[in-house]
Amino acid sequence: RGRLVQSGGGSVQPGGSLPLSCLASGYTTDSRSMGWIRQAPGKEREVVAAIFTATGSYYYSKSVEGRFTVSQDNGKNMVFLQMNNLQPADSGVYYCAAVVRERWRVRAPLEYDDWGKGTQVTVSS
């Protein structure tokens, strides 16, 4: 399988914004989908957003819907997560992850086949 290289993240005050990006390589682009999975200390992992690479269709968890936007570049090699109106509850490590199967449970972190190394997002006042 391929590899995932993440960038972005950092620290912001509540209400701020941060972008995340993930470069996917080694995959058949239109045969895989991507997700963003958040791991906060003491909390269960949560798939906060996902995008079906071939079509651009997307999914958001209720915790981020309306604030986060998932997208991809024209070549479908880069996946982005624009995080707006960040709140302390959004703090955690964000992983990009790839799915190579045609069918999977989008809300289940363990359904994702490959994970990036993660990047820290900290929201505090």
Side-chain angles (χ1 to χ4, degrees):
R1 297 203 290 268
R3 59 175 61 90
L4 306 171
V5 180
Q6 299 182 227
S7 62
S11 299
V12 296
Q13 294 182 339
S17 299
L18 284 173
L20 302 179
S21 64
C22 179
L23 175 62
S25 61
Y27 298 95
T28 300
T29 304
D30 288 347
S31 298
R32 59 112 171 102
S33 296
M34 299 291 298
W36 289 98
I37 304 172
R38 179 169 66 199
Q39 174 67 76
K43 298 180 180 179
E44 295 182 350
R45 289 174 293 182
E46 179 183 20
V47 180
V48 298
I51 185 167
F52 184 26
T53 305
T55 65
S57 60
Y58 52 83
Y59 158 85
Y60 297 105
S61 70
K62 291 183 178 180
S63 63
V64 308
E65 188 173 13
R67 299 186 297 117
F68 291 11
T69 301
V70 63
S71 61
Q72 60 189 357
D73 69 344
N74 292 337
K76 302 179 181 180
N77 298 122
M78 294 287 293
V79 181
F80 308 95
L81 186 69
Q82 178 63 45
M83 304 180 292
N84 297 324
N85 193 22
L86 285 161
Q87 302 300 314
D90 296 315
S91 297
V93 177
Y94 285 73
Y95 299 89
C96 68
V99 171
V100 298
R101 293 166 288 168
E102 293 184 358
R103 298 184 180 92
W104 84 104
R105 291 177 290 182
V106 67
R107 299 172 59 187
L110 293 180
E111 290 283 292
Y112 291 77
D113 299 298
D114 297 330
W115 293 48
K117 293 184 177 181
T119 185
Q120 178 69 46
V121 171
T122 302
V123 186
S124 62
S125 59

